[in-house]
Amino acid sequence: MNAPAPELKSAPRSDWSRDEIAALFALPFPELMFRAMTVHRAHFDPTEVQISTLLSIKTGGCPEDCGYCSQSAKHETGLKASKLMALEQVLADAAKAKAAGASRFCMGAAWREPKDKDLDAVCEMVAGVKALGMETCVTLGMLTGPQAARLKDAGLDYYNHNLDTSPEYYRHVITTRTYQDRLDTLAQVRAAGINVCCGGIVGMGESAEDRVGLIHALATLPIHPESVPINALVRIEGTPQGLATPLEPIEFVRMIAVARITMPRSMVRLSAGREQMSEETQALCFLAGANSIFYGEKLLTTPNPVAAEDQALFARLGLSAMRSA
Ligand code: SAM
Ligand code: DTB
Ligand code: SF4
C-alpha cells in the first residue's frame, strides 16, 4: 500500500519550496491525482461544491493596464463602461442568485482602488447582501487598512484580490502596479479579519516555472487564502493577451491538483474559463480537488455556463451544492 501523503500529516504549511512544488507538477498524472484526491478527502466531502455568483457592480473604464482584462481603459475592447450600480438592483440580483442556489455573492468593481464615497455605497451593498443570508465577497482593487476595516464592519466575509501570476512574469502582464502592491492589500485584508480570496490566471503565455511561482506565492502566504480561484484566461479581443495560446487541459488540471495539495484546507475554485472547457476537463478538475465554482450565465463581462448546464453536469457527476463553506 502507498504510504500516506506527507501533506496529510500536519497542519497547512507555508514553507513550501519552489522545488517541492515543481516536483508535484512533475509527478506522473495518476500519482498527482491520487495525492490530490487523498488530501481533498481528508479535509472536505469530495461530492460538495461551493457555489458563488458574480456581479460586476461597476464595469469598465479602469485606469489599470492588466493585459488580460476587458475592463481596462487602456485597451480597445468595445466594452461599454458604466457607473456604480444602484443598491436595489444589486440586492435584487443577489436574491436571484440565492434562489438559484448560490451561497456566496461576489461583487466586482473595475477600480484601481475605491474612493471613500464609493466605499460608502459598497458597504451598503455588503450589508444588504449579508442580510439576505448570503456570504459576501467584493473585489475593488487596492485597499488601505481603514477601508478594509470599514468593509469588515459592514459585514464583508471575503475580499478577492488575485496575485494573477508569478512575481517574475507579473510585469509582462501589468505595469501600473507591482506584486508588492497586491501583497500589501492582502495583508490589510487579513489584518482587518476578512477572509482572503486570492488566486491567479493561467494561459497567459506564462512558463511552467511561472505556474510554480504563482502556487509558491499563494502557498507561502503566512495564512493560506481561504479561497483560491484558478482562472483559465478568457481571451478578450483587443487586449494584449487576446491571442495567447490556451493552456493544455491536463496542465490546467495539474494546476488545480497542486493548489489542492499545497493549500489543503482552502476552497479551490475552478473559476473563469469553464465556458471554453469540456465537461470532461471540468470533471477532472473536481477529481483533482476543485470544490468551488462561479455559477450563473455571466462572470463579470464574459459568459459562463448557464445554470441548467451546470445543474446537468452536477447531476451526471453526483455533485451537490455546499450550503455554506
Ligand atoms: N479591479 C479589481 C482587481 O483587479 O483586483 C477587481 C476586478 S478584476 C476583473 C478581478 C480578477 O478577475 C482579476 O484579478 C483577474 O484575476 C480576473 N480576470 C480579469 N479578467 C480576466 C480574464 N479575461 N480571464 C480570466 N480572469 C480574469
Ligand atoms: C476571480 O478570480 N475571477 C473572477 C473574480 N475573481 C472576480 C473574475 C473573472 C473575470 C473573467 C473575465 C470577465 O468576465 O470579465
Ligand atoms: Fe482594472 Fe481589475 Fe481589470 Fe485590472 S483586472 S484592468 S484592475 S478591472
Side-chain angles (χ1 to χ4, degrees):
M1 208 180 100
N2 283 316
E7 51 277 354
L8 280 183
K9 286 188 194 150
S10 47
R13 295 172 43 196
S14 286
D15 63 350
W16 290 95
S17 71
R18 279 206 180 207
D19 284 351
E20 282 178 296
I21 295 169
L24 289 173
F25 272 103
L27 283 172
F29 194 66
E31 184 62 28
L32 175 64
M33 291 296 277
F34 176 75
R35 298 260 299 259
M37 283 179 186
T38 309
V39 172
H40 191 187
R41 271 152 206 267
H43 301 285
F44 295 98
D45 177 342
T47 68
E48 287 191 344
V49 177
Q50 188 274 329
I51 285 181
S52 293
T53 291
L54 271 171
L55 176 67
S56 181
I57 57 171
K58 196 273 163 207
T59 305
C62 183
E64 302 268 34
D65 70 351
C66 312
Y68 47 77
C69 189
S70 62
Q71 306 197 67
S72 166
K74 312 259 197 262
H75 319 315
E76 294 279 338
T77 65
L79 184 78
K80 197 171 161 290
S82 60
K83 288 206 210 108
L84 186 61
M85 278 174 73
L87 175 65
E88 297 66 34
Q89 187 58 56
V90 172
L91 296 186
D93 285 6
K96 254 190 254 161
K98 187 184 180 196
S103 62
R104 192 181 305 171
F105 196 62
C106 308
M107 296 165 271
W111 290 322
R112 175 175 165 79
E113 68 258 300
K115 296 194 196 80
D116 285 337
K117 174 174 74 68
D118 292 326
L119 203 66
D120 294 340
V122 174
C123 285
E124 283 184 40
M125 293 173 189
V126 168
V129 172
K130 187 85 181 158
L132 294 174
M134 299 182 85
E135 291 181 328
T136 53
C137 178
V138 296
T139 177
L140 315 171
M142 292 186 254
L143 288 188
T144 62
Q147 288 179 324
R150 288 191 53 205
L151 286 165
K152 172 72 183 171
D153 286 347
L156 186 68
D157 296 306
Y158 291 81
Y159 194 81
N160 168 245
H161 201 64
N162 290 338
L163 288 175
D164 281 342
T165 188
S166 68
E168 297 76 26
Y169 196 60
Y170 202 73
R171 65 191 170 83
H172 298 287
V173 181
I174 300 149
T175 68
T176 49
R177 57 168 190 260
T178 65
Y179 218 69
Q180 192 56 50
D181 289 331
R182 289 310 254 191
L183 293 169
D184 290 347
T185 292
L186 290 170
Q188 299 292 8
V189 169
R190 265 282 168 242
I194 300 168
N195 293 308
V196 170
C197 171
C198 180
I201 310 178
V202 297
M204 299 196 294
E206 76 284 346
S207 65
E209 178 57 29
D210 290 315
R211 290 189 285 279
V212 170
L214 170 60
I215 295 281
H216 182 257
L218 296 168
T220 57
L221 287 169
I223 302 172
H224 292 163
E226 282 74 14
S227 284
V228 180
I230 304 293
N231 296 278
L233 175 71
V234 180
R235 292 179 298 162
I236 312 275
E237 222 181 297
T239 63
Q241 292 287 341
L243 296 172
T245 308
L247 192 63
E248 204 265 310
I250 294 295
E251 276 313 301
F252 186 84
V253 178
R254 283 183 183 273
M255 186 77 190
I256 297 276
V258 176
R260 167 52 62 223
I261 294 168
T262 52
M263 293 172 276
R265 290 176 205 264
S266 303
M267 311 294 298
V268 175
R269 185 174 307 130
L270 168 54
S271 302
R274 290 196 303 117
E275 179 75 350
Q276 291 75 29
M277 216 174 265
S278 74
E279 293 205 339
E280 291 78 5
T281 300
Q282 294 184 59
L284 281 175
C285 289
F286 293 125
L287 293 182
N291 60 351
S292 171
I293 57 165
F294 285 124
Y295 178 76
E297 64 196 40
K298 204 168 171 200
L299 293 165
L300 290 174
T301 67
T302 65
N304 196 43
V306 296
E309 235 175 274
D310 279 340
Q311 283 161 10
L313 177 64
F314 274 35
R316 268 198 294 285
L317 300 177
L319 300 176
S320 59
M322 198 181 285
R323 288 317 302 175
S324 97

